Amino acid sequence: DTAVSQTPKYLVTQMGNDKSIKCEQNLGHDTMYWYKQDSKKFLKIMFSYNNKELIINETVPNRFSPKSPDKAHLNLHINSLELGDSAVYFCASSVTSVKDTQYFGPGTRLTVL
Amino acid sequence: GENVEQHPSTLSVQEGDSAVIKCTYSDSASNYFPWYKQELGKRPQLIIDIRSNVGEKKDQRIAVTLNKTAKHFSLHITETQPEDSAVYFCAAGSGTASKLTFGTGTRLQVTL
């Protein structure tokens, strides 16, 4: 009965590879988000989708491409991984808008070697 | 865009003492201010939030105050316990921006 789930939990890969992270929420929320938390713990919004439509794209390199096949799923694909992409990536969801509580997934720790 | 500053970056208090974390924001359109707690290796979780039509909100040992004129808001934890040890994040959001901007976090350590 996990509310927001992500897979995988850990991802270790080489520079230049392409990888995907999947997120699913069973809360019936309309809005989903991707956040990046770097080694200093800074939590920064990357993307936001509302009912499968992109509403926020925060100056993220276009190597990062989100995809929302339906409003319960938001996946993140990363091409040509770089060392600086190493971080914890959190998915989150909220009922509708940013003023609703955001529920975070468990995070995916990405390590690029 | 919105800029949220958070202080202090680290805070150590003895069990039973109070802890105060302060944040300032820059965008006067921001009208929603949540606080998240993140334990080591875990996800951020909402502990309390306040909207701009309210000056103070309490939930047991936790309270948040908001000064819209000065554009700052604070988290107050009373009677701290070891399980309060975590990183706390403030955030500011508005419907206009459609996003939350997080502060840089405060690592709270409650010692016995």
Side-chain angles (χ1 to χ4, degrees):
Chain A
D1 57 342
T2 305
V4 183
S5 58
Q6 290 178 234
T7 53
K9 191 166 172 61
Y10 299 98
L11 192 47
V12 181
T13 188
Q14 301 283 337
M15 274 176 56
N17 284 352
D18 303 338
K19 290 293 177 188
S20 291
I21 307 171
K22 295 189 175 183
C23 178
E24 176 180 3
Q25 53 94 4
N26 62 4
L27 296 167
H29 289 170
D30 284 346
T31 305
M32 296 185 73
Y33 311 83
W34 277 112
Y35 286 90
K36 179 180 180 181
Q37 187 171 46
D38 63 22
S39 57
K40 293 184 179 176
K41 301 294 186 188
F42 296 153
L43 201 56
K44 195 162 177 357
I45 183 78
M46 299 173 68
F47 301 103
S48 168
Y49 270 74
N50 180 271
N51 260 318
K52 302 194 299 175
E53 290 202 21
L54 180 68
I55 53 173
I56 292 282
N57 181 343
E58 275 293 294
T59 58
V60 177
N62 53 17
R63 298 183 295 103
F64 290 78
S65 50
K67 280 194 172 57
S68 183
D70 54 61
K71 73 173 195 176
H73 296 85
L74 179 61
N75 304 323
L76 183 65
H77 188 75
I78 315 169
N79 288 327
S80 305
L81 278 155
E82 300 177 358
L83 293 176
D85 297 332
S86 295
V88 179
Y89 292 84
F90 286 101
C91 175
S93 73
S94 64
V95 174
T96 50
S97 77
V98 72
K99 291 194 286 182
D100 300 314
T101 301
Q102 292 190 18
Y103 294 87
F104 283 77
T108 296
R109 181 174 293 277
L110 171 65
T111 304
V112 182
L113 303 175
Chain B
E2 176 66 277
N3 182 46
V4 177
E5 295 192 358
Q6 183 172 346
H7 299 282
S9 56
T10 60
L11 180 58
S12 183
V13 299
Q14 284 202 313
E15 185 179 8
D17 287 350
S18 296
V20 180
I21 302 170
K22 299 183 178 184
C23 289
T24 60
Y25 62 98
S26 60
D27 187 352
S28 55
S30 289
N31 51 16
Y32 174 61
F33 306 93
W35 286 86
Y36 282 82
K37 176 184 180 183
Q38 186 177 25
E39 296 177 1
L40 189 62
K42 301 282 181 69
R43 71 192 79 191
Q45 291 192 291
L46 181 78
I47 54 171
I48 196 168
D49 58 12
I50 192 167
R51 297 171 199 276
S52 60
N53 58 347
V54 173
E56 183 175 359
K57 184 176 178 181
K58 276 185 183 178
D59 182 3
Q60 298 182 335
R61 296 186 296 108
I62 294 172
V64 58
T65 57
L66 171 64
N67 182 327
K68 282 185 343 184
T69 306
K71 296 201 192 80
H72 64 70
F73 56 113
S74 301
L75 177 72
H76 303 253
I77 306 174
T78 58
E79 300 171 28
T80 52
Q81 300 166 4
E83 51 265 38
D84 294 329
S85 296
V87 178
Y88 291 81
F89 292 95
C90 63
S94 73
T96 311
S98 297
K99 68 175 184 180
L100 285 179
T101 300
F102 282 82
T104 48
T106 296
R107 185 176 299 278
L108 173 64
Q109 181 74 41
V110 179
T111 57
L112 296 172

Short mmCIF file of all heavy atoms in Angstrom, two decimals, chain A residues 11 13-21 36 46-47 60-67 75-86 89 110 112:
data_model
loop_
_atom_site.label_atom_id
_atom_site.label_comp_id
_atom_site.label_asym_id
_atom_site.label_seq_id
_atom_site.Cartn_x
_atom_site.Cartn_y
_atom_site.Cartn_z
N LEU A 11 21.12 2.97 -8.17
CA LEU A 11 21.50 2.85 -9.58
C LEU A 11 22.96 3.26 -9.69
O LEU A 11 23.29 4.42 -9.39
CB LEU A 11 20.60 3.75 -10.41
CG LEU A 11 20.56 3.64 -11.93
CD1 LEU A 11 20.45 2.21 -12.39
CD2 LEU A 11 19.40 4.47 -12.47
N THR A 13 26.15 3.32 -12.39
CA THR A 13 26.36 3.18 -13.82
C THR A 13 27.59 3.97 -14.26
O THR A 13 28.13 4.78 -13.50
CB THR A 13 25.10 3.65 -14.58
OG1 THR A 13 25.24 3.33 -15.97
CG2 THR A 13 24.90 5.15 -14.43
N GLN A 14 28.02 3.72 -15.48
CA GLN A 14 29.19 4.40 -16.01
C GLN A 14 28.79 5.67 -16.74
O GLN A 14 27.66 5.80 -17.26
CB GLN A 14 29.91 3.48 -17.02
CG GLN A 14 30.38 2.16 -16.43
CD GLN A 14 31.62 2.31 -15.59
OE1 GLN A 14 32.38 3.26 -15.77
NE2 GLN A 14 31.83 1.41 -14.65
N MET A 15 29.72 6.60 -16.78
CA MET A 15 29.53 7.82 -17.58
C MET A 15 29.17 7.46 -19.01
O MET A 15 29.71 6.48 -19.56
CB MET A 15 30.82 8.63 -17.63
CG MET A 15 31.03 9.56 -16.47
SD MET A 15 32.64 10.38 -16.54
CE MET A 15 32.57 11.14 -18.15
N GLY A 16 28.27 8.22 -19.58
CA GLY A 16 27.90 8.03 -20.98
C GLY A 16 26.71 7.10 -21.18
O GLY A 16 26.12 7.08 -22.27
N ASN A 17 26.38 6.32 -20.16
CA ASN A 17 25.23 5.41 -20.28
C ASN A 17 23.91 6.17 -20.22
O ASN A 17 23.85 7.34 -19.79
CB ASN A 17 25.27 4.36 -19.16
CG ASN A 17 26.29 3.29 -19.43
OD1 ASN A 17 26.89 3.23 -20.51
ND2 ASN A 17 26.54 2.46 -18.44
N ASP A 18 22.85 5.47 -20.62
CA ASP A 18 21.47 5.99 -20.51
C ASP A 18 20.73 5.15 -19.48
O ASP A 18 20.85 3.92 -19.48
CB ASP A 18 20.74 5.86 -21.86
CG ASP A 18 21.45 6.55 -23.00
OD1 ASP A 18 22.27 7.46 -22.74
OD2 ASP A 18 21.19 6.18 -24.16
N LYS A 19 19.97 5.82 -18.61
CA LYS A 19 19.23 5.08 -17.58
C LYS A 19 17.85 5.71 -17.36
O LYS A 19 17.65 6.89 -17.67
CB LYS A 19 19.98 5.09 -16.24
CG LYS A 19 21.24 4.26 -16.23
CD LYS A 19 20.93 2.77 -16.36
CE LYS A 19 22.20 1.95 -16.41
NZ LYS A 19 21.92 0.53 -16.72
N SER A 20 16.95 4.92 -16.79
CA SER A 20 15.61 5.41 -16.47
C SER A 20 15.26 5.12 -15.02
O SER A 20 15.69 4.11 -14.46
CB SER A 20 14.57 4.73 -17.36
OG SER A 20 14.70 5.15 -18.70
N ILE A 21 14.47 6.01 -14.44
CA ILE A 21 13.92 5.83 -13.11
C ILE A 21 12.40 5.91 -13.25
O ILE A 21 11.88 6.78 -13.95
CB ILE A 21 14.38 6.93 -12.13
CG1 ILE A 21 15.91 7.05 -12.13
CG2 ILE A 21 13.87 6.65 -10.72
CD1 ILE A 21 16.42 8.25 -11.35
N LYS A 36 15.76 16.81 -7.52
CA LYS A 36 17.13 16.32 -7.40
C LYS A 36 17.68 16.82 -6.06
O LYS A 36 17.56 18.02 -5.75
CB LYS A 36 17.99 16.87 -8.55
CG LYS A 36 19.45 16.43 -8.49
CD LYS A 36 20.24 17.02 -9.66
CE LYS A 36 21.70 16.57 -9.60
NZ LYS A 36 22.51 17.14 -10.71
N MET A 46 12.88 19.71 -10.58
CA MET A 46 13.33 19.54 -11.96
C MET A 46 12.14 19.68 -12.91
O MET A 46 12.16 20.45 -13.86
CB MET A 46 13.95 18.17 -12.15
CG MET A 46 15.16 17.91 -11.28
SD MET A 46 15.72 16.21 -11.43
CE MET A 46 16.32 16.16 -13.10
N PHE A 47 11.10 18.88 -12.66
CA PHE A 47 9.94 18.85 -13.54
C PHE A 47 8.67 18.70 -12.71
O PHE A 47 8.69 18.15 -11.61
CB PHE A 47 9.99 17.64 -14.49
CG PHE A 47 11.19 17.60 -15.39
CD1 PHE A 47 12.24 16.73 -15.11
CD2 PHE A 47 11.26 18.40 -16.52
CE1 PHE A 47 13.35 16.68 -15.94
CE2 PHE A 47 12.36 18.35 -17.35
CZ PHE A 47 13.41 17.49 -17.05
N VAL A 60 16.68 22.36 -16.77
CA VAL A 60 17.35 21.07 -16.66
C VAL A 60 17.94 20.73 -18.03
O VAL A 60 17.28 20.96 -19.04
CB VAL A 60 16.35 19.99 -16.22
CG1 VAL A 60 16.99 18.63 -16.16
CG2 VAL A 60 15.73 20.35 -14.87
N PRO A 61 19.18 20.20 -18.08
CA PRO A 61 19.74 19.83 -19.40
C PRO A 61 18.80 18.91 -20.16
O PRO A 61 18.11 18.07 -19.56
CB PRO A 61 21.03 19.09 -19.03
CG PRO A 61 21.38 19.58 -17.67
CD PRO A 61 20.10 19.89 -16.98
N ASN A 62 18.77 19.04 -21.48
CA ASN A 62 17.81 18.22 -22.21
C ASN A 62 18.24 16.76 -22.34
O ASN A 62 17.59 15.98 -23.04
CB ASN A 62 17.45 18.84 -23.57
CG ASN A 62 18.68 19.15 -24.38
OD1 ASN A 62 19.76 18.64 -24.10
ND2 ASN A 62 18.51 20.00 -25.37
N ARG A 63 19.32 16.38 -21.64
CA ARG A 63 19.63 14.95 -21.48
C ARG A 63 18.60 14.28 -20.57
O ARG A 63 18.48 13.06 -20.55
CB ARG A 63 21.02 14.77 -20.87
CG ARG A 63 22.16 15.32 -21.70
CD ARG A 63 23.51 15.05 -21.05
NE ARG A 63 23.68 15.74 -19.78
CZ ARG A 63 23.57 15.16 -18.60
NH1 ARG A 63 23.31 13.88 -18.48
NH2 ARG A 63 23.75 15.86 -17.48
N PHE A 64 17.89 15.10 -19.80
CA PHE A 64 16.85 14.59 -18.89
C PHE A 64 15.51 14.71 -19.59
O PHE A 64 15.11 15.82 -19.99
CB PHE A 64 16.81 15.41 -17.60
CG PHE A 64 18.00 15.21 -16.71
CD1 PHE A 64 19.21 15.84 -16.99
CD2 PHE A 64 17.92 14.39 -15.60
CE1 PHE A 64 20.31 15.64 -16.17
CE2 PHE A 64 19.01 14.20 -14.77
CZ PHE A 64 20.20 14.83 -15.06
N SER A 65 14.81 13.60 -19.74
CA SER A 65 13.50 13.67 -20.39
C SER A 65 12.47 12.93 -19.55
O SER A 65 12.55 11.72 -19.38
CB SER A 65 13.54 13.11 -21.81
OG SER A 65 14.15 11.85 -21.82
N PRO A 66 11.52 13.67 -19.00
CA PRO A 66 10.44 13.04 -18.24
C PRO A 66 9.37 12.52 -19.20
O PRO A 66 9.21 13.05 -20.31
CB PRO A 66 9.90 14.19 -17.40
CG PRO A 66 10.18 15.41 -18.21
CD PRO A 66 11.39 15.13 -19.05
N LYS A 67 8.66 11.48 -18.73
CA LYS A 67 7.54 10.98 -19.52
C LYS A 67 6.43 10.55 -18.56
O LYS A 67 6.69 9.84 -17.60
CB LYS A 67 7.97 9.79 -20.38
CG LYS A 67 8.69 10.18 -21.66
CD LYS A 67 8.79 9.03 -22.62
CE LYS A 67 9.33 9.48 -23.97
NZ LYS A 67 10.65 10.14 -23.85
N ASN A 75 7.99 8.97 -15.27
CA ASN A 75 9.31 8.36 -15.40
C ASN A 75 10.33 9.41 -15.80
O ASN A 75 9.99 10.46 -16.37
CB ASN A 75 9.26 7.23 -16.42
CG ASN A 75 8.20 6.19 -16.05
OD1 ASN A 75 8.00 5.88 -14.88
ND2 ASN A 75 7.50 5.67 -17.06
N LEU A 76 11.58 9.13 -15.48
CA LEU A 76 12.66 10.05 -15.81
C LEU A 76 13.74 9.28 -16.56
O LEU A 76 14.28 8.31 -16.03
CB LEU A 76 13.25 10.67 -14.53
CG LEU A 76 14.34 11.72 -14.72
CD1 LEU A 76 13.79 12.96 -15.41
CD2 LEU A 76 14.94 12.10 -13.36
N HIS A 77 14.01 9.71 -17.77
CA HIS A 77 15.06 9.08 -18.57
C HIS A 77 16.24 10.05 -18.67
O HIS A 77 16.04 11.24 -18.92
CB HIS A 77 14.54 8.74 -19.97
CG HIS A 77 15.50 7.93 -20.77
ND1 HIS A 77 15.72 6.58 -20.53
CD2 HIS A 77 16.35 8.27 -21.75
CE1 HIS A 77 16.65 6.14 -21.36
NE2 HIS A 77 17.04 7.14 -22.11
N ILE A 78 17.43 9.52 -18.48
CA ILE A 78 18.62 10.36 -18.52
C ILE A 78 19.59 9.79 -19.55
O ILE A 78 20.00 8.62 -19.45
CB ILE A 78 19.33 10.44 -17.16
CG1 ILE A 78 18.33 10.65 -16.02
CG2 ILE A 78 20.36 11.58 -17.16
CD1 ILE A 78 18.91 10.49 -14.62
N ASN A 79 19.92 10.60 -20.53
CA ASN A 79 20.88 10.19 -21.57
C ASN A 79 22.28 10.66 -21.23
O ASN A 79 22.47 11.66 -20.53
CB ASN A 79 20.49 10.82 -22.92
CG ASN A 79 19.26 10.20 -23.50
OD1 ASN A 79 19.00 9.01 -23.32
ND2 ASN A 79 18.47 10.99 -24.21
N SER A 80 23.26 9.93 -21.74
CA SER A 80 24.67 10.36 -21.66
C SER A 80 25.03 10.83 -20.26
O SER A 80 25.45 11.98 -20.06
CB SER A 80 24.94 11.49 -22.67
OG SER A 80 24.58 11.10 -23.95
N LEU A 81 24.89 9.96 -19.30
CA LEU A 81 25.09 10.33 -17.89
C LEU A 81 26.47 10.92 -17.65
O LEU A 81 27.48 10.49 -18.22
CB LEU A 81 24.87 9.11 -17.00
CG LEU A 81 23.38 8.86 -16.72
CD1 LEU A 81 23.12 7.40 -16.40
CD2 LEU A 81 22.92 9.76 -15.58
N GLU A 82 26.49 11.94 -16.78
CA GLU A 82 27.73 12.62 -16.39
C GLU A 82 27.94 12.47 -14.89
O GLU A 82 27.01 12.18 -14.15
CB GLU A 82 27.62 14.12 -16.76
CG GLU A 82 27.40 14.38 -18.23
CD GLU A 82 27.22 15.86 -18.54
OE1 GLU A 82 27.22 16.68 -17.59
OE2 GLU A 82 27.09 16.18 -19.74
N LEU A 83 29.21 12.69 -14.47
CA LEU A 83 29.54 12.57 -13.05
C LEU A 83 28.62 13.45 -12.19
O LEU A 83 28.18 13.05 -11.11
CB LEU A 83 31.00 12.95 -12.80
CG LEU A 83 32.05 12.01 -13.39
CD1 LEU A 83 33.45 12.58 -13.14
CD2 LEU A 83 31.93 10.61 -12.81
N GLY A 84 28.33 14.65 -12.68
CA GLY A 84 27.53 15.61 -11.93
C GLY A 84 26.07 15.23 -11.77
O GLY A 84 25.33 15.88 -11.03
N ASP A 85 25.67 14.17 -12.46
CA ASP A 85 24.28 13.70 -12.31
C ASP A 85 24.12 12.85 -11.06
O ASP A 85 22.99 12.53 -10.68
CB ASP A 85 23.87 12.88 -13.54
CG ASP A 85 23.89 13.70 -14.83
OD1 ASP A 85 23.69 14.93 -14.74
OD2 ASP A 85 24.09 13.11 -15.90
N SER A 86 25.22 12.49 -10.44
CA SER A 86 25.15 11.69 -9.21
C SER A 86 24.39 12.48 -8.14
O SER A 86 24.75 13.62 -7.83
CB SER A 86 26.54 11.35 -8.69
OG SER A 86 27.22 10.52 -9.59
N TYR A 89 17.41 11.21 -6.50
CA TYR A 89 16.27 11.75 -7.25
C TYR A 89 14.98 11.30 -6.56
O TYR A 89 14.76 10.12 -6.32
CB TYR A 89 16.31 11.26 -8.71
CG TYR A 89 17.47 11.85 -9.46
CD1 TYR A 89 18.74 11.27 -9.38
CD2 TYR A 89 17.32 13.02 -10.20
CE1 TYR A 89 19.82 11.83 -10.05
CE2 TYR A 89 18.39 13.59 -10.87
CZ TYR A 89 19.64 12.99 -10.79
OH TYR A 89 20.71 13.56 -11.44
N LEU A 110 21.45 7.71 -7.43
CA LEU A 110 22.17 7.48 -8.68
C LEU A 110 23.63 7.80 -8.49
O LEU A 110 23.98 8.90 -8.04
CB LEU A 110 21.57 8.35 -9.79
CG LEU A 110 22.33 8.40 -11.12
CD1 LEU A 110 22.34 7.03 -11.80
CD2 LEU A 110 21.74 9.44 -12.06
N VAL A 112 27.17 7.87 -10.66
CA VAL A 112 27.78 7.78 -11.99
C VAL A 112 29.29 7.70 -11.80
O VAL A 112 29.90 8.57 -11.16
CB VAL A 112 27.40 8.99 -12.85
CG1 VAL A 112 28.01 8.86 -14.25
CG2 VAL A 112 25.89 9.14 -12.95
#
